[in-house]
Amino acid sequence: MQVAVIENVLKANDELAARNRQALRAAGVFALDLIGAPGCGKTALLEATLPLLRPLRVGVIAGDLATQRDADRIAPHAAQVVQVNTGRGCHLEANHVHEAMQRLRLNDLNVLFIENVGNLVCPVGFDLGQDVKVGVFSTAGGDDKAAKHPHLVHAAQLLVVTMSDLQPYVSFNFSRFDEDVRRLNPEVPVLRVSARTGEGLPAWRQWIFDRLDRRAPAATATQPARVVG
Amino acid sequence: MQVAVIENVLKANDELAARNRQALRAAGVFALDLIGAPGCGKTALLEATLPLLRPLRVGVIAGDLATQRDADRIAPHAAQVVQVNTGRGCHLEANHVHEAMQRLRLNDLNVLFIENVGNLVCPVGFDLGQDVKVGVFSTAGGDDKAAKHPHLVHAAQLLVVTMSDLQPYVSFNFSRFDEDVRRLNPEVPVLRVSARTGEGLPAWRQWIFDRLDRRAPAATATQPARVVG
């Protein structure tokens, strides 16, 4: 019985995620689901990234159990921000994103970052309607975290290792991390970045723009003005 | 129906946790459940702590989705180690600990650390049979994490902030963190430690010994030889 209940929950989630995806595509919005541990630097990465994406218009849905601190930090840099508080919920589900989307003017956005609840496990299994999942790790979090979280490494279209400026002070071995990643997902790119020094941010920005360029020509051709903000 | 299923799961968990607790107390073992984000330094803290606890005999149950890397790191320092791999499971439950306990010689232990799966949310609600829950945060993880994880701050008997040596390189404000903690849990002690420099480890060691001393006199009086290892 428990299995049946969980299957129904996931099925309902997937149906709503499909509707989110349809609405985002119709509005020409490219959506990234950022998944990483609490404290891996997701919000700091967004604070550093958003100014680099101009003239794109960027929205952010920030998920946390409590507080609206992430939304407050991101607000100065984003066109639109919605904070979702999940209470005891350990991940965002499609219905959280669906509700948040009702509070966004999607037609005024080019990119939507969904900053998931800080958690390397539970968010992986829930489709939100995003275009890509980005796995976020930090040097301070240790080079063993890819191996310990194979499902995220499998599911992600990109992995970002934050806090590269801390590497001299922590024992993070990039070769070891890369080896674990390759074993689990030979294709996924890995970017090293530092929100503090700016290292790697141009490559991260470029990855996002490349993805936008690769979108269905119909979608971009009919809405060329949107990218000019 | 879903609520009923979840209630049944929690009820079964609590019953098994009570049995775990009974077995641990009968053997005179003091059990700590370490709860913290992936990469907050739980394993590094144990590596640094275990040598300081001699002549106590210490066992460790290490929880992770995959790999036995934590057990391998801890093995040189602990009397007994069991690695639990949860697969897709985001937290330890009482049955994981129960099964692990079958592989431990409890009568040869004084202290048992249960290193939970790296996760600041899901482990909080599951009683394992521990004596105390210890919430582990890191300076690199940011000073906002207590406010964002109120349930852990409520539930913990101690909070430890690791990586105090990284404070010059990250923007962790201890006053701000303490303020959030006090608002949520006025009583819980907060210790700053560094596994790297050893800062704060004597206070952490002392906290554990104080807890051992405070245990039921009957338990310690009948088993005085156990502490001499």
Side-chain angles (χ1 to χ4, degrees):
Chain A
M1 174 146 51
Q2 202 189 343
V3 172
V5 170
I6 290 171
E7 275 174 3
N8 284 342
V9 169
L10 283 176
K11 189 161 168 256
N13 185 80
D14 285 351
E15 286 169 4
L16 199 47
R19 285 174 56 193
N20 292 347
R21 183 168 287 114
Q22 205 168 21
L24 289 163
R25 292 208 171 155
V29 177
F30 179 65
L32 305 92
D33 178 13
L34 296 191
I35 300 178
C40 72
K42 294 181 292 303
T43 312
L45 179 64
L46 287 180
E47 287 176 299
T49 303
L50 268 44
L52 304 178
L53 295 183
R54 289 180 192 133
L56 296 179
R57 287 161 302 180
V58 183
V60 178
I61 297 173
D64 267 312
L65 274 67
T67 82
Q68 62 167 28
R69 292 189 188 181
D70 284 358
D72 291 344
R73 284 171 63 186
I74 290 163
H77 310 289
Q80 302 175 45
V81 185
V82 177
Q83 178 83 51
V84 176
N85 283 154
T86 59
R88 290 180 182 267
C90 54
H91 59 276
L92 291 179
E93 299 191 7
N95 68 313
H96 294 118
V97 172
H98 186 76
E99 281 172 36
M101 280 167 58
Q102 310 313 308
R103 297 168 58 194
L104 292 171
R105 298 175 307 281
L106 290 186
N107 286 326
D108 292 340
L109 293 178
N110 307 112
V111 175
L112 176 66
F113 286 100
I114 304 166
E115 183 184 341
N116 220 309
V117 176
N119 187 326
L120 273 175
V121 187
C122 315
V124 180
F126 288 84
D127 186 9
L128 305 178
Q130 75 289 332
D131 289 287
V132 293
K133 284 181 195 276
V134 177
V136 186
F137 296 89
S138 79
T139 59
D143 53 29
D144 56 350
K145 293 303 172 294
K148 287 183 173 180
H149 297 90
H151 309 300
L152 175 57
V153 176
H154 278 301
Q157 277 75 45
L158 176 70
L159 300 181
V160 175
V161 181
T162 64
M163 306 188 195
S164 65
D165 56 298
L166 288 185
Q167 214 219 329
Y169 315 108
V170 298
S171 48
F172 188 98
N173 183 328
F174 274 108
S175 309
R176 192 182 181 208
F177 182 84
D178 277 336
E179 249 171 57
D180 288 334
V181 170
R182 289 305 143 233
R183 204 165 27 78
L184 294 163
N185 185 342
E187 305 300 330
V188 67
V190 179
L191 298 178
R192 310 177 193 187
V193 307
S194 166
R196 184 171 294 245
T197 67
E199 185 191 347
L201 293 181
W204 159 234
R205 174 187 182 282
Q206 191 58 50
W207 186 87
I208 294 168
F209 273 89
D210 287 349
R211 283 282 174 156
L212 281 168
D213 290 344
R214 270 190 236 163
R215 305 193 69 180
T220 49
T222 56
Q223 298 162 352
R226 327 264 326 281
V227 185
V228 192
Chain B
M1 174 149 46
Q2 201 190 343
V3 173
V5 170
I6 290 171
E7 275 175 2
N8 285 342
V9 169
L10 283 175
K11 189 162 169 253
N13 184 80
D14 285 352
E15 285 169 5
L16 198 49
R19 286 174 56 194
N20 291 348
R21 184 168 285 113
Q22 202 167 24
L24 289 162
R25 293 208 170 154
V29 177
F30 178 65
L32 306 92
D33 179 12
L34 296 190
I35 299 178
C40 72
K42 295 181 292 300
T43 312
L45 180 64
L46 287 180
E47 286 176 299
T49 304
L50 268 46
L52 304 178
L53 295 183
R54 289 178 192 134
L56 295 179
R57 287 163 301 182
V58 182
V60 177
I61 296 173
D64 267 311
L65 274 65
T67 82
Q68 62 167 29
R69 293 188 186 181
D70 284 359
D72 292 344
R73 284 171 63 186
I74 291 163
H77 310 290
Q80 302 175 45
V81 184
V82 177
Q83 177 83 51
V84 176
N85 282 153
T86 57
R88 290 180 183 268
C90 54
H91 59 275
L92 292 179
E93 298 190 9
N95 67 314
H96 293 120
V97 172
H98 187 76
E99 281 172 37
M101 280 167 59
Q102 310 312 308
R103 298 168 57 195
L104 292 170
R105 300 176 306 281
L106 290 184
N107 286 327
D108 292 340
L109 293 178
N110 308 111
V111 174
L112 176 66
F113 286 100
I114 304 167
E115 183 184 342
N116 220 308
V117 176
N119 188 327
L120 273 175
V121 187
C122 315
V124 179
F126 287 83
D127 186 8
L128 305 178
Q130 75 289 334
D131 289 287
V132 292
K133 284 182 195 276
V134 178
V136 186
F137 297 88
S138 79
T139 59
D143 54 29
D144 56 351
K145 293 304 173 293
K148 287 183 174 181
H149 296 89
H151 309 300
L152 175 57
V153 176
H154 277 301
Q157 278 75 46
L158 175 71
L159 300 182
V160 175
V161 180
T162 64
M163 306 188 195
S164 65
D165 56 299
L166 288 185
Q167 215 219 329
Y169 315 108
V170 298
S171 48
F172 189 98
N173 182 327
F174 273 109
S175 308
R176 191 183 181 207
F177 182 84
D178 277 336
E179 248 170 57
D180 288 334
V181 169
R182 285 308 140 233
R183 203 165 27 80
L184 294 163
N185 185 342
E187 303 300 332
V188 66
V190 179
L191 298 178
R192 308 177 194 190
V193 307
S194 166
R196 186 171 293 247
T197 67
E199 184 191 348
L201 292 180
W204 160 233
R205 175 188 181 281
Q206 191 58 50
W207 187 87
I208 295 169
F209 273 89
D210 287 349
R211 283 282 174 155
L212 281 167
D213 290 345
R214 270 190 235 162
R215 304 194 69 182
T220 48
T222 56
Q223 299 161 349
R226 326 255 338 271
V227 185
V228 193

